[in-house]
Amino acid sequence: MINKEVLEQDRLFIKSWLDTYFDSPHRDILMSHPAKMEEADYGVPSDMHDSEVDEEGWVCWRMLDSKVTIDQINELVASYIKPGSDTYGPSFSVPPLYVAYLSSRYVLNVYLRYEGFMIELPNLPSDYPLRELRNLWSSSELLIKAGYIPFASYDDHAGPVCWDTSKPNDDHDYAVVWFDHDILTEEGQTSREQLEHYAQPLFHSFREMLMRSPSSTRS
């Protein structure tokens, strides 16, 4: 159950964190993206445009307040993460700070750069904000059944960044690991026992992951 007061505090933090993230020398690059040209593509929706579309189809974009609801997030969880499918922990709930990320702003191009690697959070366009997360979960059935819930991508899509639901903490968050796609496509890597050997640890929680990112440590 989401604590509404905590959620509002987390949303304020996310908005401040995003403002800091985009307040950088690379702002013009980060806030430029291909415009949406067809209904099914992944470009910038018209309401997020902050300039005219250029001759190459790119446009400057702006963040907007999100209309994603807790019910929509819960429906997505119920569709892909079945209670009891993970025998290594209790039924899954999305960490509160990630709920805040999904429901605070429509935003694109969020790359968290650490020493030696980068993590990309899902794009949240105004027309279909949960589509990238839905796609990630729909293509990760074996990981999810083993108790690893993908929520981001590692360094140029080298593999999924996941919560390890066997390692929850007191803040309803989970240890963060990542898997190399090459390992996941090898025949036979399907069980929890097999996969945990290849789970590469990153952070103790999503909150720690965000707090250690440059946007949180930038003075």
Side-chain angles (χ1 to χ4, degrees), residues 1-8 70 74 93-97 99:
M1 180 67 68
I2 294 289
N3 182 306
K4 292 184 178 180
E5 183 176 344
V6 171
L7 178 59
E8 287 309 309
I70 303 304
N74 288 340
S93 61
V94 178
L97 193 60
V99 172

Side-chain angles (χ1 to χ4, degrees), residues 11 36 39-45 47-48 62-73 75-76 98-110 120-137 151:
R11 282 174 171 160
K36 188 179 186 73
E39 181 61 28
D41 76 30
Y42 286 73
V44 181
D47 61 341
M48 292 181 70
R62 58 181 177 171
M63 290 184 284
L64 298 174
D65 287 338
S66 176
K67 295 181 181 178
V68 171
T69 66
I70 303 304
D71 285 344
Q72 289 172 329
I73 296 170
E75 287 170 6
L76 191 63
Y98 195 77
V99 172
Y101 171 73
L102 295 176
S103 61
S104 294
R105 291 256 180 90
Y106 297 134
V107 66
L108 311 171
N109 298 344
V110 180
E120 180 181 356
L121 292 180
N123 286 330
L124 307 173
S126 58
D127 61 336
Y128 201 161
L130 299 180
R131 176 162 65 173
E132 288 195 8
L133 184 59
R134 180 184 296 275
N135 291 346
L136 189 57
W137 285 356
F151 68 91

Side-chain angles (χ1 to χ4, degrees), residues 44 53 58 110 117 119 126 134 144 153 166 180 187 194:
V44 181
V53 179
W58 285 65
V110 180
F117 66 96
I119 293 174
S126 58
R134 180 184 296 275
I144 291 172
S153 297
S166 74
D180 190 316
E187 187 174 352
Q194 292 167 321

Side-chain angles (χ1 to χ4, degrees), residues 35-205:
K36 188 179 186 73
M37 298 301 186
E38 298 179 3
E39 181 61 28
D41 76 30
Y42 286 73
V44 181
S46 60
D47 61 341
M48 292 181 70
H49 288 191
D50 202 31
S51 72
E52 297 295 323
V53 179
D54 70 19
E55 59 186 17
E56 295 181 350
W58 285 65
V59 67
C60 295
W61 60 270
R62 58 181 177 171
M63 290 184 284
L64 298 174
D65 287 338
S66 176
K67 295 181 181 178
V68 171
T69 66
I70 303 304
D71 285 344
Q72 289 172 329
I73 296 170
N74 288 340
E75 287 170 6
L76 191 63
V77 171
S79 296
Y80 294 100
I81 306 172
K82 309 299 183 184
S85 64
D86 168 24
T87 59
Y88 294 85
S91 59
F92 172 75
S93 61
V94 178
L97 193 60
Y98 195 77
V99 172
Y101 171 73
L102 295 176
S103 61
S104 294
R105 291 256 180 90
Y106 297 134
V107 66
L108 311 171
N109 298 344
V110 180
Y111 306 99
L112 311 184
R113 291 174 172 83
Y114 303 92
E115 186 174 351
F117 66 96
M118 179 181 71
I119 293 174
E120 180 181 356
L121 292 180
N123 286 330
L124 307 173
S126 58
D127 61 336
Y128 201 161
L130 299 180
R131 176 162 65 173
E132 288 195 8
L133 184 59
R134 180 184 296 275
N135 291 346
L136 189 57
W137 285 356
S138 67
S139 62
S140 304
E141 182 179 358
L142 293 178
L143 276 175
I144 291 172
K145 283 185 176 180
Y148 295 107
I149 313 299
F151 68 91
S153 297
Y154 189 88
D155 235 334
D156 292 330
H157 301 278
V161 176
C162 305
W163 291 299
D164 181 352
T165 62
S166 74
K167 297 178 180 178
N169 63 28
D170 292 338
D171 295 325
H172 306 288
D173 207 335
Y174 308 90
V176 176
V177 302
W178 83 278
F179 291 91
D180 190 316
H181 270 310
D182 290 339
I183 294 296
L184 296 179
T185 55
E186 287 183 5
E187 187 174 352
Q189 308 299 335
T190 59
S191 71
R192 171 77 192 198
E193 289 82 357
Q194 292 167 321
L195 286 168
E196 63 185 359
H197 179 70
Y198 299 102
Q200 301 184 51
L202 293 174
F203 302 99
H204 294 298
S205 66

